[in-house]
Amino acid sequence: MANEAFSCASYEPGHNVHYIQARVKAHLPRFWAKVDLIGPKAVRVVTHRQDQVLFHHSAIELYMWTLVAHEGEIKYCPESKLLYVRLDEYRSVKQDVWIMAYLSEDELSPCKDLRDVSSFSEAELRRFIEENDVGHL
């Protein structure tokens, strides 16, 4: 989400969606969802297949996005735990965009601070891609 995405460096459940995760999980089925705010770090997600309380480090902001979803277009993929919210505008720019949130079934781990996380070197990134067979992405 907007504010935490710039300060949180965690891609664990309940935190940020990594672009590789988004691409790998894009083919999984999504279901129309209704989202209710339960607390500052918890939302209730209801689809025709489930009714579940899930956690996110920015649940209030996530809930606010659902209130302005384009024609109420909110979808959830239970398999990937990704919530998709379609917007007509993002950061004051008129555009058709999907906001994604990675939800957690468990209590949240603490956010990781960007200053405390080292980045991959080019060699480390190549090794990661080879070891995890993600070169085709």
Side-chain angles (χ1 to χ4, degrees), residues 21-40:
Q21 175 191 24
R23 290 181 64 188
V24 169
K25 303 296 183 178
H27 71 283
L28 296 173
R30 304 171 191 174
F31 305 99
W32 286 94
K34 181 181 181 320
V35 176
D36 293 311
L37 184 64
I38 301 298

Side-chain angles (χ1 to χ4, degrees), residues 18-82:
H18 194 278
Y19 74 94
I20 293 175
Q21 175 191 24
R23 290 181 64 188
V24 169
K25 303 296 183 178
H27 71 283
L28 296 173
R30 304 171 191 174
F31 305 99
W32 286 94
K34 181 181 181 320
V35 176
D36 293 311
L37 184 64
I38 301 298
K41 303 221 182 269
V43 291
R44 178 179 174 208
V45 178
V46 179
T47 70
H48 76 282
R49 301 181 92 187
Q50 77 185 65
D51 182 342
Q52 190 173 13
V53 173
L54 298 162
F55 302 93
H56 191 267
H57 70 172
S58 187
I60 295 170
E61 184 178 5
L62 175 59
Y63 176 70
M64 298 302 285
W65 287 123
T66 68
L67 296 177
V68 296
H70 172 80
E71 297 180 3
E73 198 162 353
I74 304 163
K75 296 191 176 182
Y76 180 66
C77 175
E79 189 174 339
S80 67
K81 303 293 183 259
L82 292 177

